[in-house]
Amino acid sequence: MEKLVNIHDAAEGLKAGKTLLYPTDTVWGLGCDASNEEAIQKIFDVKNRPKEQSFIVLVDSVAMLERYVANIPEVCFDLIDFAARPLTIIYDEPINLPKSLLAADGTIAIRVTEDMNCKKLIQRLRKPLVSTSANISGQANANSFAEISDAIKKSVDLILNERLEEVMRKPSSIIKVGSDNGVKVIR
């Protein structure tokens, strides 16, 4: 399959505005450079997703997170450090990200990834990475590369050639932490 690429070529493709199908620390994901409006639009199109449904963004560290959220509630640092499984946090006051990534209420969902391949992609890109499940909106998540629909595989520009045989885990936990440190479990 000519779309299969290594991490270096995937990062170069992301820099050029391409979309990527890749394994994450949870499920197979569709992604792009989180600062590229055209690439974000392509992900909406590939997923056939309504614009009012936002995406998760992956960062490689708390230091990177601090560049995209104006005021991180103190409790979030402990939640990130002590999470037993991948944890996505919805934050108030996102900064330096396109409006197309924000939820209708102006919040942003961000996960500090522990997956080494995702970290390498983000570090080579030097920007956050959009991450949404590799399925058409409303359909079930694929648990392996083999279960991802041909429509998705054909629609993306690139496919990371890592962990193609691995069965993936469940989606991340999602919580919303308000500026008042109030915590609400979403998933």
Side-chain angles (χ1 to χ4, degrees):
M1 186 180 291
E2 62 193 50
K3 291 183 179 191
L4 286 176
V5 295
N6 60 30
I7 287 177
H8 171 77
D9 292 339
E12 291 305 307
L14 290 167
K15 289 177 187 176
K18 294 190 181 289
T19 56
L20 178 68
L21 179 58
Y22 65 105
T24 73
D25 48 354
T26 57
V27 297
W28 272 84
L30 293 170
C32 66
D33 171 353
S35 69
N36 185 318
E37 287 276 10
E38 288 180 26
I40 293 165
Q41 180 58 51
K42 287 185 207 175
I43 298 293
F44 274 110
D45 293 345
V46 168
K47 278 194 71 84
N48 194 23
R49 187 176 185 132
K51 295 281 189 269
E52 55 275 0
Q53 291 183 335
S54 56
F55 296 129
I56 291 172
V57 174
L58 298 182
V59 295
D60 69 344
S61 63
V62 170
M64 182 177 266
L65 172 66
E66 290 173 328
R67 294 195 299 261
Y68 297 99
V69 178
N71 294 303
I72 301 171
E74 282 299 314
V75 69
C76 293
F77 297 104
D78 287 337
L79 290 168
I80 292 166
D81 285 344
F82 298 113
R85 57 181 277 216
L87 175 66
T88 300
I89 300 176
I90 300 171
Y91 297 93
D92 293 333
E93 302 181 63
I95 54 174
N96 305 320
L97 290 168
K99 287 189 181 187
S100 60
L101 284 179
L102 308 184
D105 64 359
T107 59
I108 187 72
I110 302 178
R111 181 167 72 249
V112 178
T113 185
E114 294 299 322
D115 181 83
M116 288 313 298
N117 288 329
C118 290
K119 280 182 178 282
K120 287 177 189 175
L121 279 170
I122 294 164
Q123 289 164 355
R124 288 174 187 230
L125 182 60
R126 293 191 176 107
K127 295 178 186 173
L129 189 60
V130 165
S131 183
T132 183
S133 56
N135 60 334
I136 304 296
S137 282
Q139 294 182 357
N141 290 340
N143 292 319
S144 66
F145 180 75
E147 290 181 17
I148 298 169
S149 75
D150 287 341
I152 293 284
K153 291 175 185 173
K154 288 176 185 172
S155 297
V156 296
D157 298 313
L158 304 169
I159 300 171
L160 189 64
N161 66 356
E162 298 282 337
R163 298 171 27 211
L164 296 174
E165 303 302 320
E166 184 176 330
V167 173
M168 303 302 286
R169 293 180 265 174
K170 297 186 279 186
S172 67
S173 298
I174 300 178
I175 60 172
K176 182 175 173 73
V177 180
S179 299
D180 61 354
N181 284 325
V183 177
K184 179 181 177 187
V185 176
I186 307 294
R187 173 175 77 199

